[in-house]
């Protein structure tokens, strides 16, 4: 192993690495990331959580021939390191420097520019359709977080891929968080899957039994398939077979920090000619205690002291967000119809304090800005006074709802 990560010729050097060498590389990458981001600031916790996953991806697939699309894209730092850009990390998020997100102008390995959530599956569907039309032979992989699955566009993409039966590999990076802890039915569904090892064990048992029979009739195959489905429904909670019912071959849950397990399941996915979903469990902030303890704070962090994890030169003055937060809590005392709505960012928008003080009047709808606005319109139509706090960049996604569901009805 080389002492300086910038000395490697990635991604070529990764192809010849042994498992033990890749495991050592994961430690080197984490040290490198913490060192660089502590100076420039950036998205740290999300990247620390996908180190092994990204190593496995670039080990098993041949970028840029194989297309890897990162949903949101803030977790693509390791991808950039493994595609020859480690030497540019001193310029991360600086003027004319390395972007904090995938940029096709920056590298051919960044095949699609991302920045908002829930788009990767739709983009992958388009890339795969173009591949099929042109008669090409390469893989298309969408890496999407569990938080992004609360966005409806993700399901539009899943539905399209399943209907077309085009070969796309979707990797669900499940860390139980977006920026803040996830909420809602999808989060509960994934929580059930994380604990559903019984189904996976039975599934492996049935496959072994079928493969051990040298020649079997069609009726027996169908009978065993029906039996497998009965077992599946009996072991998993309601909704536990969501992805297979959507038309994807489901692999998981897989330990997202076990490189051998990751490469093995990716090898299986490559061997199939159908839509595949790999459910990977990771820990946001993995390998750096302050980030593991406070992943929300280290989701997007300014320059910080590595030893303490505290941000450098953080202003003591009140921010506009803090002023808004205090005033909203004050108004909540005297206005019982006042409610607050966030799209998975209670801390960043200042609504967390309101949520603690008035939990029955606080709603976190997940990464779903369109739903947040129309949900608030429904509240307003029923006589409530909703405050919807969303970053302006993300509110772009809800312009139609603002015009059609709020303004036209004078809500």
């Amino acid at each position: 192993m080389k002492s300086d990560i910038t000395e490697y010729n990635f991604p070529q050097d990764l192809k010849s690495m042994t498992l033990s060498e890749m495991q050592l590389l994961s430690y080197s990458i984490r040290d490198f990331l913490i060192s660089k981001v502590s100076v420039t600031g950036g998205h740290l916790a999300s990247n620390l959580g996908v180190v092994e996953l990204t190593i496995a991806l670039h080990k098993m697939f041949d970028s840029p021939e194989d297309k890897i699309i990162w949903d949101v894209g803030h977790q693509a730092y390791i991808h950039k390191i493994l595609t020859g850009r480690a030497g540019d990390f001193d310029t991360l998020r600086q003027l004319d420097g390395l972007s904090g997100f995938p940029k096709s102008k920056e590298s051919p390995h960044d095949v699609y520019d991302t920045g908002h959530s829930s788009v990767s599956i739709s983009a992958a569907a388009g890339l795969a359709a173009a591949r099929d039309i042109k008669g090409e032979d390469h893989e298309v992989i969408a890496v999407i977080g569990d938080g992004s699955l609360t966005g409806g566009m993700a399901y539009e993409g899943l539905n399209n891929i399943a209907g077309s039966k085009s070969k796309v590999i979707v990797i669900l990076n499940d860390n139980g968080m977006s920026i803040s802890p996830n909420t809602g039915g999808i989060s509960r569904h994934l929580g059930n899957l994380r604990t559903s090892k019984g189904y996976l064990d039975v599934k492996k048992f049935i496959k072994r039994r079928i493969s051990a029979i040298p020649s079997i009739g069609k009726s027996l195959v169908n009978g065993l398939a029906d039996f497998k489905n009965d077992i599946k429904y009996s072991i998993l909670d309601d909704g536990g077979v969501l992805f297979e019912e959507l038309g994807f071959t489901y692999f998981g849950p897989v330990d997202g920090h076990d490189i051998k397990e990751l490469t093995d399941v990716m090898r299986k996915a490559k061997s199939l000619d159908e839509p595949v979903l790999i459910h990977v469990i990771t820990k946001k902030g993995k390998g750096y205690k302050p980030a593991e303890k406070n992943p929300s704070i280290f989701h997007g962090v300014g320059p910080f002291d590595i030893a303490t994890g505290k941000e450098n030169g953080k202003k003591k003055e009140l921010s506009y967000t803090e002023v808004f937060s205090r005033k909203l809590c004050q108004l909540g005392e005297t206005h019982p119809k006042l409610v607050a709505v966030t799209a998975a960012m209670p801390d960043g928008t200042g609504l967390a304090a309101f949520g603690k003080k008035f939990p029955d009047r606080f709603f976190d709808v997940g990464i779903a800005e369109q739903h947040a606005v129309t949900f608030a319109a429904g509240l307003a139509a029923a006589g409530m006074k909703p405050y919807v706090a969303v970053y302006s960049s993300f509110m772009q996604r809800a312009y139609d709802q603002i015009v059609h569901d709020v303004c036209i009805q004078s809500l």
Side-chain angles (χ1 to χ4, degrees):
M1 294 293 293
K2 297 176 182 178
S3 58
D4 187 346
I5 205 166
T6 62
E7 295 176 2
Y8 285 99
N9 180 29
F10 288 132
Q12 290 84 351
D13 285 354
L14 181 62
K15 301 299 183 182
S16 60
M17 283 188 176
T18 64
L19 177 60
S20 61
E21 287 173 334
M22 288 189 289
Q23 290 168 337
L24 290 173
L25 177 64
S26 70
Y27 292 110
S28 297
I29 287 176
R30 283 195 171 90
D31 288 342
F32 179 84
L33 277 178
I34 294 166
S35 173
K36 297 299 181 183
V37 176
S38 71
V39 176
T40 63
H43 291 95
L44 184 61
S46 53
N47 280 284
L48 291 174
V50 297
V51 174
E52 289 86 0
L53 172 59
T54 313
I55 290 173
L57 273 170
H58 282 285
K59 177 71 171 181
M60 298 305 299
F61 298 98
D62 296 318
S63 176
E65 286 76 22
D66 292 328
K67 315 301 180 186
I68 304 172
I69 306 105
W70 299 90
D71 203 88
V72 183
H74 61 257
Q75 79 285 49
Y77 291 7
I78 300 93
H79 164 76
K80 296 195 177 200
I81 290 170
L82 295 178
T83 52
R85 287 170 274 177
D88 297 325
F89 260 76
D90 287 334
T91 70
L92 179 67
R93 305 203 315 170
Q94 309 300 309
L95 181 63
D96 299 323
L98 198 66
S99 173
F101 294 83
K103 294 292 179 184
S104 55
K105 292 181 180 179
E106 186 178 286
S107 169
H109 294 278
D110 296 356
V111 299
Y112 194 87
D113 292 8
T114 48
H116 284 178
S117 77
S118 314
V119 306
S120 63
I121 299 174
S122 296
L127 286 164
R131 172 202 62 198
D132 297 343
I133 290 170
K134 295 189 287 184
E136 296 173 347
D137 183 21
H138 60 260
E139 302 289 353
V140 178
I141 308 103
V143 185
I144 186 169
D146 53 316
S148 290
L149 278 189
T150 57
M153 188 174 175
Y155 296 91
E156 295 172 24
L158 288 170
N159 182 62
N160 183 200
I161 291 169
S164 69
K165 297 183 179 179
S166 184
K167 172 65 179 296
V168 174
I169 298 172
V170 176
I171 296 179
L172 171 57
N173 173 35
D174 181 3
N175 57 29
M177 297 190 69
S178 44
I179 294 174
S180 301
N182 289 326
T183 62
I186 297 301
S187 179
R188 287 195 298 271
H189 162 73
L190 293 176
N192 292 337
L193 281 178
R194 292 183 203 114
T195 58
S196 63
K197 286 291 186 182
Y199 162 53
L200 302 172
D201 291 340
V202 171
K203 193 172 180 180
K204 291 176 183 176
F205 170 78
I206 292 172
K207 284 184 177 179
R208 284 198 303 269
R209 289 297 188 187
I210 292 175
S211 62
I213 303 174
S215 178
I216 54 178
K218 184 177 180 180
S219 60
L220 182 54
V221 173
N222 292 336
L224 287 171
D226 290 340
F227 172 65
K228 188 187 86 169
N229 286 332
D230 290 341
I231 292 291
K232 176 166 59 180
Y233 280 99
S234 67
I235 292 177
L236 293 185
D237 291 336
D238 290 343
V241 290
L242 171 65
F243 300 114
E244 292 200 358
E245 290 302 310
L246 279 172
F248 283 74
T249 296
Y250 172 85
F251 290 108
V254 176
D255 183 350
H257 302 298
D258 185 325
I259 295 175
K260 185 179 186 305
E261 191 173 350
L262 287 166
T263 53
D264 284 348
V265 75
M266 288 178 190
R267 187 176 294 107
K268 293 174 184 176
K270 286 176 68 175
S271 71
L272 300 176
D273 189 24
E274 59 198 49
V276 175
L277 188 139
I278 302 173
H279 183 187
V280 174
I281 309 298
T282 62
K283 184 175 181 61
K284 199 168 184 178
K286 174 76 171 177
Y288 181 51
K289 290 299 181 184
E292 288 185 9
K293 187 177 180 181
N294 296 295
S296 295
I297 293 174
F298 282 88
H299 172 81
V301 67
F304 63 93
D305 179 76
I306 294 175
T308 64
K310 294 182 179 179
E311 287 193 54
N312 298 329
K314 197 168 185 179
K315 294 181 179 179
K316 295 182 180 179
E317 295 85 359
L318 282 176
S319 68
Y320 286 113
T321 299
E322 290 167 325
V323 173
F324 162 73
S325 176
R326 292 184 180 191
K327 187 63 178 179
L328 200 65
C329 288
Q330 179 186 333
L331 290 170
E333 296 279 5
T334 54
H335 294 70
K337 291 184 178 180
L338 191 152
V339 297
V341 180
T342 179
M345 296 186 69
D347 293 308
T349 60
L351 294 184
F354 185 94
K356 290 178 182 177
K357 199 166 187 178
F358 309 104
D360 293 339
R361 289 189 275 150
F362 169 74
F363 302 94
D364 184 345
V365 301
I367 304 178
E369 292 83 9
Q370 294 162 306
H371 166 62
V373 172
T374 301
F375 171 69
L379 286 164
M384 305 303 288
K385 300 293 182 183
Y387 277 76
V388 183
V390 177
Y391 284 14
S392 59
S393 175
F394 302 149
M395 188 60 93
Q396 292 172 174
R397 315 193 86 173
Y399 282 176
D400 180 65
Q401 285 70 26
I402 292 169
V403 173
H404 187 271
D405 295 335
V406 177
C407 295
I408 289 178
Q409 300 187 81
S410 299
L411 294 176

